[in-house]
Amino acid sequence: GTRCMAYETLIVEIEDHIALIKLNRPDALNALNTQLLNELSKALRAAEENEKVRCVVLTGSEKAFAAGADIKEMSEKTFVDAFTDDLFGRETQEMLRCRKPIIAAVSGYALGGGCELAMMCDFIIASDTAKFGQPEINLGVVAGIGGTQRLTRFVGKSKSMDMHLTGRFMTAEEAERSGLVSRVVPAKKLMEEAMGAAAKIAEKSALTAMAVKEAVNRAYEVPLNEGLLFERRLFHALFATEDQKEGMEAFLEKREAQFRDK
Ligand code: CAA
């Protein structure tokens, strides 16, 4: 793959149709500081605009996906600083805007903002060493990048309250059992599994994958009847695409579909 040299806190490689973004602040367990979040926004925008890229994989190191927002950088902030900059609101916009699928490959600590960053991806594949937590209460704050909202939707109120109130960590096994992650694999297999999933997605019609993302995300935004209507209309609309014709013809002719994103 080709390696992009433009970042100091990330390692970005484009391999086949996959943009692999690796958080890279090893001395701070990939704590999310302003520079890292700005570079991540840039890297995601670049992936979104790069026609070659069909799927993004976001990962950290073996020891830490990310140990949270950078506490050193935050500690002296006042309310006025945080409010005026809309701390973490602005910095995370790009992630929500990305229409290409993003897989989080999590090994080690995914705490606070790290857990929240993983939850902003489309799904999470975890190594058996992964530890998830929302320990902000230990710092005298609550989560600030969606933890109280997203974790609750993933794992339900009881477990979410437990995590946020006690600040305890969840193992990969518990995270899979409770619906936070889609798969758990041995640490050594994590990148193979995540890149394999990304390669699978890259084979599909990018247009259809975008539609899947829109439809699933709707489930978190609107009442069920509205979500069902949105899905059905999207389903109807896809009959206007060449990829629908190709996908169904290929099935009937017992061959592999050749999607053209049209
Ligand atoms: N911010 C800044 N630096 C951090 C950090 C963070 N969130 N997490 C770890 N580091 C730094 C440590 O300060 C340490 O740096 P030094 O070597 O310069 O002292 C280095 O990373 C290694 O960390 P430890 O020595 O602590 O490593 P450990 O293996 O003993 O412990 C850990 C690992 C349990 C993850 C521990 O580092 C830890 O508890 N980190 C903080 C976790 C946390 O509270 N996260 C929530 C942050 S707040 C937040 O995220 C708000 C939000 O929702 C937006």
Side-chain angles (χ1 to χ4, degrees), residues 135-154:
E136 288 90 343
I137 195 167
N138 298 329
L139 303 167
V141 288
V142 299
I145 318 179
T148 63
Q149 306 303 299
R150 289 201 179 88
L151 189 64
T152 307
R153 289 173 191 219
F154 279 113

Side-chain angles (χ1 to χ4, degrees), residues 198-244:
K200 261 270 176 277
I201 292 169
E203 290 170 6
K204 320 292 184 204
S205 160
L207 176 87
T208 317
M210 260 181 215
V212 166
K213 237 185 112 149
E214 283 189 3
V216 174
N217 283 332
R218 270 293 154 117
Y220 288 96
E221 303 293 344
V222 300
L224 181 60
N225 61 339
E226 291 297 324
L228 291 170
L229 180 61
F230 181 84
E231 178 200 79
R232 203 161 61 249
R233 291 290 181 251
L234 203 46
F235 172 70
H236 297 160
L238 288 168
F239 283 87
T241 66
E242 290 175 19
D243 284 346
Q244 173 269 325

Side-chain angles (χ1 to χ4, degrees), residues 135-177:
E136 288 90 343
I137 195 167
N138 298 329
L139 303 167
V141 288
V142 299
I145 318 179
T148 63
Q149 306 303 299
R150 289 201 179 88
L151 189 64
T152 307
R153 289 173 191 219
F154 279 113
V155 306
K157 176 183 166 183
S158 188
K159 201 176 279 288
S160 178
M161 279 288 193
D162 178 359
M163 301 298 294
H164 283 97
L165 286 172
T166 67
R168 77 175 175 87
F169 301 163
M170 214 194 262
T171 62
E173 193 275 320
E174 183 178 3
E176 186 186 31
R177 174 157 39 90

Side-chain angles (χ1 to χ4, degrees), residues 25-32 63 67-74 88 109 111-114 116 133-136 138-139 141-147 169:
R25 292 188 69 212
D27 296 340
L29 301 183
N30 294 331
L32 312 172
K63 178 156 186 207
D70 191 303
I71 300 168
K72 273 181 207 130
E73 196 182 67
M74 278 188 300
F88 300 130
Y109 296 110
L111 304 177
E116 295 169 296
Q134 298 286 166
E136 288 90 343
N138 298 329
L139 303 167
V141 288
V142 299
I145 318 179
F169 301 163

Side-chain angles (χ1 to χ4, degrees), residues 28 34 41 49 60 62 64 73 83 94 110 116 143 196 206 212 224 237:
T34 306
S41 290
E49 285 168 4
E62 229 176 281
E73 196 182 67
F83 180 83
E94 209 65 47
E116 295 169 296
V212 166
L224 181 60

